[in-house]
Amino acid sequence: GEVPRPGSPPGTFVGTARYGVDPQTDLTADLKLASIPLAEVFKALPGLAGTASGLVSGSAKLTAPGARLGDVTAYVADGTLTSPGLTAFGRRAEKVSLKLALREGVARITDAAAVVEGLPLTGSASVTLAGKYPYSATIKTAPTDVANIKRLIPEADLPFELTGKLETSTKLSGTLSPVTFAASGTATATGLTLGTVKVEKVTADWTVDDKALTLRNVRSDLYEGTITGSAKFPLKETEAGEFNVTFAKLDAAAVTRAVPSTPVRLEGAISGTFHGTLPPARKGDVQRATATLNLTSPRLRVQGVPAERLKGKVDVKPGGIAYDLTGETLGGSFDVSGTYPFAREKKEPPKDHEPVSGRIRLRGLQLARLADALGVPALEPLRGTVNLTVSYGHGEPAGGGRLEVLELGWGRSGVGQGVRAVVRVTPTAVEIPELSGRFADGTLRGRLRYNLVNPERSFYTLTLDGADAGRLLGPFGFDALGARITVSTRGGLGPRPHGTGTVSFHRGKVSGFQLAEVRVPFGWSYTPGIGGRLSVRDAGGQLLGGRVTGEATVAWGTSAHVEGRLKFVSLSFRALLGRFGQSSGLGSGPMNGQFTFSGSEMRSLDDLTGQVVATIGEGPVYDLPVFSQFAQYVVPSVSGRGLVRFNRGELRGRLAKGQFRIERLGLTGPESRLFVDGTVGVRTGRLDLDVVAATGQVGLNAGLLRSYAVRVLAAGSVPVQVALEVSRLLSNRTVRARVTGTIDRPVVTVNVAGLLTGAAVQFFLEPYLPLPR
């Protein structure tokens, strides 16, 4: 026979059957199907018209006892069925193949395989050919790419996109007349992405019927923590839904990275619960969900600032989100609470006076803890207690409050006053229009504005005028007398704060050095959780009668790094050695040169390393620090001060581990030559110097000294034998001394017959043959 298909060749079936009437025998039959349209077949089945379409081909064989032809339970049949593509009960299947069997009134499908909605499936099924035609089926999927869970359950309208690998095992049951269904199973997903959230693995048990999709025993290892829970998603607006999620020790930093729009950066472990309900919709309305989020975290960092004992609660209600977050930070406490309203429908008119719907309170925050929290060592001397109360809303007027910083100070010295400011909150920004107070005996003024819509447009300005340099620099080991500092800076306060400014020193002394009109332009930037950078360019000023210019860069994060350079012109020689009250005048001749410095893993100034290269102009040798202690041995006939002079000099030295190593200090004059090497303690002023002074050149064997110079030049260093012979040759022309003690109180031990060092030998041979340096 033929089964018509409008506009296409008809489907066909061909078969034979045999049944013995007299004498009665069993019924036997076979049937072959070719491209049979399911839509026409299902029209003949009660209640199934319009539920299937597609073409089916196959074959079958049937036997039945002749005496029981009316009893379907006596039939025995076997067959196969294939289809290139069909649709049944709203699902599309391709590459369908299966085996059929009929025994005891139950039709069974075995070795079934198909690609349903793009997912390869295998399974089996059975249907009882009586009553309501009850059926059951088992379907399995191998791990395969899936773009949307609707491929298996199109009724589940999930509010996010889903990608990854999915493996399922599903059991279906129901009746064919009338059509009913229920499903349950297990699902395992790997490499899953739900919206912007990535999950390595998640497992769940699920059931679905015509009312809801229900998830149970949901478990996932996510962001170094665990998530467990259950959920019920209604498939009809008249049905209720709910979900319950428990999460433990989630990495907050990973969570915020997964949600690019998160306004703050979090670090630490978060635990809590998330419970929500979706009541049935009222007549003519839509379903409105409610949810409650409870958070706990023993230690959390918000934008790099530690928040301890964090507790939070968020309630999602039809009108908006109510929240309450409390915790401890920087030695104080904070409390953020309020209600965030959902957007009004257009038909709802706006209110004339929007009530204040939120409040932020900070109490007792200690500025002394800010340096460690932000990783900015330069802020360690900062002291003070911060209190802030701000109320805000989501309309006009938005809100406002007050900020106060009590007992503000730097190091151990406070100012006895505080800083107070009015805080204004608008729908788009938080602003402090004017900040004023006293800090380090100077006047502090400022203004800032944080843009809530576009944080990149946030800004600040701050000025500290006439501050006491001693109070500001004292915590870093510098003493200052009479010096005043003015600081002016402005910049941005977005996700990566930055700024520029200038520090100006007026006349005064810092660590004994006279300063005048020093100007230091700077720029800074800070990335929360990573670190910051401070750059100084084109700094300059007057120091000890000379001019100093320089530049420097300081970077900090997990460690501090510094590098820079100072150039000086006409600087007093004693500037590198500290304060000297013993000498008259400004020093021992003008000095020109530069000091380059750097430091890694910086914890104090002792970790700074540097190199000095300088030339020294004409000046009195007597004015050199320490020299006056042994000048009488070099020029015993000199009774007046400043008569022994030099007309040129050179200094090379290195700074390391709090010690300044003088590698070469050579001074040359018409009456004498002086060579110094050794160490000077930068902080302690302790001395460990070797000093060699020579006067007069008459009577020296110039030829012999020249031959020694040639030998040193050829060897590239000073041989021991040459050092012995040159020391002997110059023994009656030189005075050698070991200088110890401190700069203020040197102890000089004279040793006329002492052996010259290699560096000293090179220095005294230079007039006879210039040596490479």
Side-chain angles (χ1 to χ4, degrees):
E2 295 181 348
V3 181
R5 288 190 296 157
S8 300
T12 62
F13 59 92
V14 178
T16 62
R18 181 181 179 84
Y19 170 61
V21 178
D22 187 12
Q24 189 179 54
T25 63
D26 292 344
L27 169 66
T28 62
D30 64 79
L31 180 67
K32 292 184 178 180
L33 308 177
S35 302
I36 300 298
L38 284 181
E40 299 300 320
V41 175
F42 271 51
K43 287 180 180 180
L45 299 176
L48 297 182
T51 61
S53 63
L55 303 178
V56 176
S57 301
S59 62
K61 291 184 177 182
L62 174 70
T63 62
R68 300 175 61 188
L69 292 183
D71 184 3
V72 72
T73 62
Y75 283 51
V76 175
D78 294 284
T80 62
L81 196 66
T82 62
S83 174
L86 59 87
T87 300
F89 306 108
R91 293 168 175 80
R92 177 67 180 172
E94 298 176 340
K95 299 180 181 180
V96 179
S97 64
L98 53 86
K99 293 181 179 180
L100 299 170
L102 176 61
R103 302 286 190 279
E104 299 178 351
V106 179
R108 288 182 170 82
I109 298 174
T110 60
D111 298 333
V115 179
V116 179
E117 298 295 342
L119 297 176
L121 305 179
T122 60
S124 60
S126 65
V127 58
T128 300
L129 302 178
K132 296 182 179 181
Y133 295 89
Y135 68 87
S136 64
T138 299
I139 304 172
K140 293 183 179 181
T141 66
T144 183
D145 290 330
V146 23
N148 199 305
I149 201 171
K150 283 185 176 181
R151 291 178 175 179
L152 283 179
I153 311 171
E155 295 85 358
D157 187 15
L158 299 181
F160 45 75
E161 292 191 7
L162 179 65
T163 61
K165 294 283 187 178
L166 182 64
E167 180 180 6
T168 65
S169 176
T170 303
K171 293 182 179 181
L172 301 173
S173 61
T175 62
L176 296 178
S177 181
V179 177
T180 62
F181 84 95
S184 64
T186 61
T188 300
T190 57
L192 198 64
T193 300
L194 297 86
T196 60
V197 179
K198 295 182 179 181
V199 185
E200 290 299 322
K201 185 177 181 181
V202 59
T203 59
D205 299 331
W206 60 271
T207 61
V208 65
D209 53 26
D210 59 344
K211 296 180 179 180
L213 166 65
T214 302
L215 301 178
R216 297 185 179 89
N217 302 321
V218 179
R219 178 180 175 84
S220 175
D221 295 329
L222 177 67
Y223 301 135
E224 301 184 9
T226 58
I227 294 181
T228 58
S230 61
K232 181 180 180 181
F233 298 97
L235 303 180
K236 298 179 180 179
E237 290 188 350
T238 56
E239 298 294 328
E242 68 173 346
F243 61 88
N244 293 280
V245 178
T246 300
F247 48 93
K249 298 181 180 179
L250 264 64
D251 183 354
V255 174
T256 54
R257 285 195 299 268
V259 185
S261 59
T262 303
V264 295
R265 181 183 52 83
L266 304 177
E267 299 174 81
I270 300 177
S271 301
T273 60
F274 191 26
H275 170 73
T277 61
L278 186 64
R282 296 181 179 180
K283 186 176 181 180
D285 201 354
V286 296
Q287 287 181 291
R288 299 182 183 275
T290 63
T292 300
L293 172 65
N294 289 288
L295 295 173
T296 60
S297 177
R299 293 183 180 274
L300 190 71
R301 297 181 76 90
V302 182
Q303 289 294 100
V305 178
E308 301 176 348
R309 297 179 178 85
L310 177 69
K311 294 182 181 180
K313 184 176 182 181
V314 179
D315 289 326
V316 181
K317 300 178 179 180
I321 300 175
Y323 53 89
D324 188 2
L325 189 68
T326 62
E328 299 177 3
T329 182
L330 301 179
S333 63
F334 65 88
D335 180 4
V336 182
S337 60
T339 301
Y340 187 87
F342 293 141
R344 296 189 184 92
E345 299 180 3
K346 292 184 178 180
K347 63 181 180 180
E348 182 181 351
K351 298 179 180 180
D352 294 335
H353 299 285
E354 184 73 20
V356 172
S357 56
R359 183 178 64 181
I360 299 176
R361 290 194 303 177
L362 306 178
R363 286 289 179 268
L365 272 62
Q366 301 300 312
L367 294 179
R369 300 191 179 188
L370 200 59
D372 181 63
L374 299 179
V376 184
L379 295 179
E380 289 180 357
L382 188 61
R383 298 291 183 268
T385 302
V386 177
N387 297 319
L388 171 68
T389 300
V390 175
S391 299
Y392 56 90
H394 301 282
E396 293 288 352
R402 296 192 65 83
L403 167 71
E404 61 179 5
V405 184
L406 305 178
E407 300 177 356
L408 183 62
W410 188 258
R412 295 183 178 180
S413 61
V415 299
Q417 298 184 27
V419 174
R420 292 174 173 82
V422 174
V423 180
R424 295 177 183 173
V425 181
T426 71
T428 60
V430 177
E431 183 178 8
I432 297 179
E434 183 178 358
L435 180 147
S436 61
R438 300 284 294 174
F439 183 71
D441 203 26
T443 301
L444 182 66
R445 299 185 305 276
R447 178 192 175 194
L448 66 86
R449 188 174 192 270
Y450 192 88
N451 193 307
L452 301 174
V453 178
N454 187 359
E456 296 289 347
R457 301 183 64 181
S458 304
F459 69 88
Y460 79 94
T461 62
L462 193 66
T463 300
L464 176 62
D465 189 19
D468 186 343
R471 292 187 176 184
L472 289 177
L473 301 180
F476 300 105
F478 298 98
D479 61 307
L481 180 63
R484 291 286 173 174
I485 294 179
T486 295
V487 181
S488 178
T489 177
R490 63 174 57 204
L493 291 174
R496 294 177 176 83
H498 61 279
T500 59
T502 303
V503 178
S504 300
F505 290 81
H506 304 293
R507 293 186 178 276
K509 287 187 177 181
V510 176
S511 294
F513 301 144
Q514 185 70 40
L515 299 176
E517 305 305 326
V518 176
R519 186 175 181 272
V520 183
F522 66 88
W524 68 275
S525 62
Y526 176 70
T527 302
I530 298 178
R533 185 180 183 88
L534 174 66
S535 299
V536 175
R537 294 287 184 270
D538 301 323
Q542 297 178 13
L543 175 64
L544 290 176
R547 181 72 181 174
V548 177
T549 60
E551 58 187 31
T553 300
V554 181
W556 67 90
T558 55
S559 62
H561 176 78
V562 60
E563 60 181 15
R565 178 178 61 178
L566 289 176
K567 291 184 178 181
F568 41 89
V569 178
S570 300
L571 189 69
S572 167
F573 174 61
R574 69 182 62 188
L576 288 175
L577 301 179
R579 294 173 298 179
F580 310 106
Q582 63 188 33
S583 178
S584 62
L586 292 177
S588 320
M591 183 168 61
N592 303 321
Q594 71 175 14
F595 172 50
T596 57
F597 55 90
S598 64
S600 299
E601 305 291 336
M602 291 282 294
R603 295 176 298 274
S604 69
L605 290 178
D606 290 342
D607 297 318
L608 190 68
T609 62
Q611 182 178 15
V612 174
V613 177
T615 60
I616 304 172
E618 183 176 358
V621 177
Y622 192 91
D623 273 348
L624 281 175
V626 183
F627 186 79
S628 61
Q629 303 294 323
F630 60 90
Q632 55 182 320
Y633 302 104
V634 180
V635 193
S637 61
V638 175
S639 58
R641 308 186 72 186
L643 298 181
V644 180
R645 305 184 65 85
F646 62 87
N647 50 28
R648 63 185 176 89
E650 180 185 10
L651 171 66
R652 293 183 182 181
R654 293 184 180 273
L655 175 68
K657 297 181 179 180
Q659 296 284 322
F660 181 68
R661 172 72 184 179
I662 300 177
E663 297 176 337
R664 177 187 178 93
L665 171 56
L667 303 174
T668 301
E671 304 95 349
S672 62
R673 292 172 62 83
L674 178 71
F675 181 84
V676 181
D677 62 358
T679 61
V680 180
V682 175
R683 292 182 179 272
T684 63
R686 297 197 64 83
L687 302 175
D688 187 4
L689 303 174
D690 288 317
V691 182
V692 182
T695 59
Q697 304 294 327
V698 180
L700 289 176
N701 190 333
L704 184 59
L705 290 174
R706 186 173 294 107
S707 67
Y708 289 139
V710 172
R711 291 175 60 184
V712 171
L713 179 63
S717 61
V718 180
V720 175
Q721 186 62 35
V722 172
L724 290 172
E725 294 179 8
V726 172
S727 298
R728 178 183 55 79
L729 187 63
L730 298 178
S731 61
N732 62 341
R733 301 284 181 160
T734 59
V735 173
R736 296 149 223 184
R738 177 72 178 271
V739 182
T740 57
T742 65
I743 293 176
D744 293 329
R745 294 184 178 182
V747 177
V748 180
T749 303
V750 177
N751 181 7
V752 176
L755 181 66
L756 297 178
T757 64
V761 170
Q762 286 186 341
F763 174 73
F764 286 108
L765 290 179
E766 283 178 2
Y768 303 96
L769 183 65
L771 299 178
R773 303 177 184 176

